[in-house]
Amino acid sequence: MVRAIVGANWGDEGKGKITDMLAAESDIVIRFQGGSNAGHTIINDYGKFALHLLPSGVFYNHTTSIIGNGVALNIPYLINELKSLEEKNVPAPKILVSDRAQILMPYHMLFDAYEEERLAGRSFGSTKSGIAPFYSDKYAKIGFQVSELFDEETLKEKIKNVCVQKNVILEHLYHKPALDPDELFATMMEYKEMISPYVCDTSLYLYNAIKEGKNILLEGQLGSLKDPDHGIYPMVTSSSTLAAYGAIGAGIPPYEIKSITTVVKAYSSAVGAGAFVSEIFGDEAQELRVRGGDAGEFGATTGRPRRMGWFDAVATRYGCRIQGATEVALTVLDVLGYLDEIPICVGYEIDGEVTKDFPTTVKLSKAKPVYKVMPGWKCEIRGIKNYDDLPENCKAYIDEIEKEIGVPITLVSNGPRRDEIIRRK
Ligand code: GDP
């Protein structure tokens, strides 16, 4: 059975924890898109980890962790992440890397940083992990697949050609030092040494695993609203964040994805630029941010303070629809226990009209939130194990969200630890 775990919002929904939990029942966990530009926070018996490239299954002996072909593969980053597990005494995980995954080249990070520098105040707030230049090159067909590391002569030639193009831009647009093809080739040979032990035809591996009835988990990064097609373009990421893309980024048939667990946060937070209709500011935001504590004072990858807001039912219903959510895990509910009243954004007012449908970016920038205010529950809900034991107002908040988004909320997360989860239905 193939199951996907994805986010319905702007990322940081707490997918890491849910994936870590569900990975316990999985034989294989796969990353199918993105790169080291986002992170999952996982807290378990070995300690606290911020994983960026490794799938969340790496803490279990019985799981195989796969870096799928859709990922932006930063090889030294992956190796360092593996080392950091070793340092905390995590047993060596079983890792497979797709021979069709493309390599994040050292110059992708440079171009990312140079472009942000050039755009200055108009920048996208990139994590400078090289993700946008990487995917641009992939679709411009000048990227490098892992398999190409193993054909040295062709590789050398291709590097030379790519450097010609890159150096024109470096010299004339960015006024930065040129790339040296020989140096780049030498780096690629180092990358080859590092990655060789893990490389395989992961699509074929998965084909066989599906035939054998293995439990397979597709682990998404970021959320629906950062999808390049369906998100808040252009303030999006450069690869699809949708469960549907799991089929492509892992190399499996789309109809094998039977369950799409969509993670939704009980309030909103976002890192980076872009319209954020239910955003709150000042002391009100700071209080939520600080109380969020573990749950999101700072982005796991960037260390930047997150932007905060109330739950946005318009964005989340859309986020769930576009994911094809079959069930929802509602996270970080515990953090809201201090509030007397909790607003939920149930509509957008655009040019004097109220809509419940999430608009395109141009209209989104004009949207003002329409709130429905729910009573708070004013107590700590961490430690509660049974749904029925939650305060009435807390259950009413969950019911309201469920009614708004139209997808069953089956899991409620009331703390950062793996066992702080309530199964609802
Ligand atoms: P991801 O990008 O969706 O994987 O989000 P992360 O897992 O990196 O970020 C979510 C943060 O919330 C992490 O610091 C988690 O430890 C924390 N977290 C997850 N679920 C809960 C929860 O139910 N309550 C609290 N208080 N924190 C949570």
Side-chain angles (χ1 to χ4, degrees):
M1 215 271 281
V2 183
R3 178 176 201 166
I5 300 195
V6 287
N9 306 127
W10 298 265
D12 300 325
E13 295 95 349
K15 294 178 297 295
K17 171 192 157 166
I18 306 294
T19 314
D20 185 38
M21 208 186 87
L22 296 177
E25 306 153 15
S26 305
D27 302 302
I28 300 168
V29 184
I30 314 162
R31 279 285 312 272
F32 60 88
Q33 46 86 225
S36 63
N37 53 324
H40 284 325
T41 311
I42 293 175
I43 303 172
N44 58 27
D45 297 342
Y46 298 106
K48 180 172 175 174
F49 299 85
L51 297 185
H52 300 108
L53 256 181
L54 285 172
S56 300
V58 290
F59 299 103
Y60 299 101
N61 288 327
H62 65 275
T63 46
T64 298
S65 298
I66 296 185
I67 308 279
N69 54 277
V71 170
L73 176 67
N74 182 329
I75 293 175
Y77 203 105
L78 180 77
I79 302 303
N80 279 337
E81 220 162 64
L82 281 169
K83 271 194 201 131
S84 75
L85 295 191
E86 203 182 312
E87 279 159 15
K88 288 192 182 162
N89 300 315
V90 179
K94 187 172 175 211
I95 307 278
L96 299 176
V97 174
S98 166
D99 53 5
R100 289 175 183 274
Q102 294 206 7
I103 304 162
L104 192 122
M105 305 293 278
Y107 53 77
H108 287 139
M109 277 181 287
L110 294 177
F111 275 85
D112 206 347
Y114 296 160
E115 182 62 8
E116 286 283 298
E117 196 179 311
R118 188 180 75 85
L119 292 172
R122 294 169 293 129
S123 81
F124 287 85
S126 160
T127 59
K128 303 191 182 69
S129 315
I131 303 300
F134 167 91
Y135 283 105
S136 308
D137 281 359
K138 177 172 176 176
Y139 294 108
K141 297 171 285 188
I142 52 169
F144 292 85
Q145 286 192 338
V146 165
S147 59
E148 292 177 68
L149 293 173
F150 301 89
D151 180 358
E152 294 182 19
E153 281 320 302
T154 318
L155 177 70
K156 213 177 237 170
E157 235 4 74
K158 183 166 162 186
I159 287 176
K160 257 192 220 152
N161 282 329
V162 171
C163 282
V164 170
Q165 195 230 53
K166 297 287 170 206
N167 283 340
V168 172
I169 303 171
L170 284 170
E171 187 186 342
H172 296 285
L173 183 64
Y174 297 125
H175 314 291
K176 298 285 184 187
L179 300 173
D180 175 353
D182 293 333
E183 208 178 286
L184 203 52
F185 180 74
T187 306
M188 288 305 109
M189 290 301 99
E190 286 171 22
Y191 282 11
K192 179 173 137 184
E193 286 300 308
M194 293 180 206
I195 206 70
S196 291
Y198 309 107
V199 179
C200 87
D201 181 345
T202 50
S203 170
L204 181 60
Y205 180 89
L206 289 167
Y207 173 79
N208 289 320
I210 290 171
K211 269 206 305 202
E212 288 163 20
K214 300 275 192 216
N215 279 328
I216 299 171
L217 204 58
L218 293 167
E219 176 178 10
Q221 187 204 38
L222 296 169
S224 304
L225 304 168
K226 294 281 184 184
D227 183 74
D229 280 84
H230 298 282
I232 51 170
Y233 189 85
M235 299 303 179
V236 293
T237 193
S238 303
S239 65
S240 175
T241 56
L242 304 182
Y245 192 75
I248 296 161
I252 60 170
Y255 54 77
E256 293 294 351
I257 306 173
K258 305 290 186 216
S259 164
I260 301 175
T261 304
T262 305
V263 185
V264 163
K265 197 160 159 163
Y267 57 92
S268 299
S269 71
V271 182
F276 182 177
V277 179
S278 64
E279 184 166 13
I280 54 175
F281 304 91
D283 293 345
E284 197 179 31
Q286 185 58 13
E287 167 113 58
L288 185 55
R289 189 178 294 121
V290 170
R291 292 202 180 247
D294 260 347
E297 195 172 351
F298 302 108
T301 298
T302 57
R304 295 179 295 188
R306 288 179 178 150
R307 297 163 67 193
M308 311 303 288
W310 302 125
F311 183 81
D312 185 337
V314 178
T316 308
R317 180 176 45 251
Y318 173 76
C320 287
R321 166 162 75 80
I322 225 73
Q323 288 290 7
T326 57
E327 61 172 348
V328 158
L330 184 68
T331 59
V332 219
L333 195 61
D334 50 303
V335 165
L336 301 180
Y338 72 99
L339 292 158
D340 295 322
E341 293 185 322
I342 313 175
I344 295 179
C345 174
V346 292
Y348 289 174
E349 192 194 313
I350 302 169
D351 293 331
E353 278 186 36
V354 175
T355 178
K356 279 183 168 283
D357 296 324
F358 193 77
T360 52
T361 309
V362 178
K363 283 191 177 164
L364 184 66
S365 62
K366 296 197 253 173
K368 295 190 184 60
V370 177
Y371 288 116
K372 170 167 186 172
V373 179
M374 302 292 293
W377 47 91
K378 300 292 287 175
C379 66
E380 178 62 82
I381 59 163
R382 281 187 77 173
I384 294 178
K385 301 276 177 211
N386 295 314
Y387 189 76
D388 290 339
D389 297 339
L390 286 172
E392 286 309 314
N393 284 352
C394 182
K395 283 189 275 192
Y397 185 75
I398 298 168
D399 287 343
E400 187 64 25
I401 288 180
E402 184 174 69
K403 192 181 91 196
E404 284 289 336
I405 63 180
V407 182
I409 296 174
T410 53
L411 295 167
V412 174
S413 171
N414 59 337
R417 298 194 151 267
R418 192 192 290 165
D419 58 352
E420 291 178 300
I421 193 91
I422 302 171
R423 285 181 200 273
R424 182 156 172 248
K425 285 176 184 163

